[in-house]
């Protein structure tokens, strides 16, 4: 039951008494009080309607904000992916060289680089990593 409905109910009770406002001071006061209550009820209903409208506008704003967030964060994700790809998996500290004996691609990792030797798991051969070739060539020019 809303306040307006309660006021209407009391107004009905008041009307049922058949009081004469011209003769009864109490009847006149009750009538005035009922008028005030009716006005309060109407104003409250107006505020409820305004609150509902605010709710709707707030929902619309939230939707807009979350759409903006999606757009902004999507862009950042793409940038992150780009920067990750730049120094990510492709930037690992190993490379492959073919085995000089059997031609199998061998993984040269930090360990093999440190030892300067690669063991081939396919043919069982061992061979030294010869990074000095280039330097030797440069030296021989002199
Ligand atoms: Zn091999």
């Amino acid at each position: 039951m809303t306040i307006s409905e309660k006021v209407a109910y009391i107004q009905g009770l008041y009307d049922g008494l058949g009081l004469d406002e011209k003769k009864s001071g109490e009847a006149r006061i009750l009538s005035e009080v009922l008028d005030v209550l009716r006005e309060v009820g109407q104003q409250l209903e107006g505020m409820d309607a305004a609150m509902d409208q605010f709710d709707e506008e707030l929902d619309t704003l939230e939707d807009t904000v979350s759409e903006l967030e999606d757009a902004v964060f999507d862009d950042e994700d793409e940038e992150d992916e780009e920067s990750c790809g730049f120094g990510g998996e492709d930037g690992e500290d190993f490379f492959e060289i073919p085995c000089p004996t059997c031609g199998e691609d061998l993984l040269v990792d930090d360990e093999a680089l440190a030892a300067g030797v690669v063991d081939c798991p396919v043919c069982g051969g061992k061979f030294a990593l010869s990074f000095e070739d280039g330097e030797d060539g440069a030296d021989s020019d002199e």
Side-chain angles (χ1 to χ4, degrees), residues 99-104 106 120-125:
C99 173
T101 307
C102 67
E104 177 76 12
L106 302 175
C120 178
V122 177
C123 65

Side-chain angles (χ1 to χ4, degrees), residues 23-109:
K23 292 179 181 171
S24 167
E26 288 93 335
R28 181 164 191 155
I29 291 171
L30 275 172
S31 178
E32 292 293 328
V33 169
L34 278 165
D35 280 349
V36 171
L37 284 175
R38 191 160 42 241
E39 210 168 308
V40 167
Q42 282 168 359
Q43 286 191 11
L44 279 174
E45 279 167 12
M47 285 173 70
D48 277 350
M51 289 285 283
D52 285 347
Q53 203 178 333
F54 272 130
D55 273 351
E56 278 177 32
E57 284 172 14
L58 207 61
D59 283 346
T60 309
L61 268 175
E62 278 174 351
D63 287 348
T64 308
V65 167
S66 82
E67 274 170 28
L68 278 170
E69 276 178 350
D70 285 349
V72 169
F73 288 137
D74 276 356
D75 283 350
E76 281 186 4
D77 283 347
E78 281 166 22
E79 281 168 22
D80 283 350
E81 278 164 21
E82 279 168 22
S83 62
C84 277
F86 196 70
E89 287 163 38
D90 292 333
E92 294 288 334
D93 289 333
F94 62 79
F95 56 96
E96 285 181 348
I97 58 169
C99 173
T101 307
C102 67
E104 177 76 12
D105 277 340
L106 302 175
L107 199 68
V108 181
D109 54 15

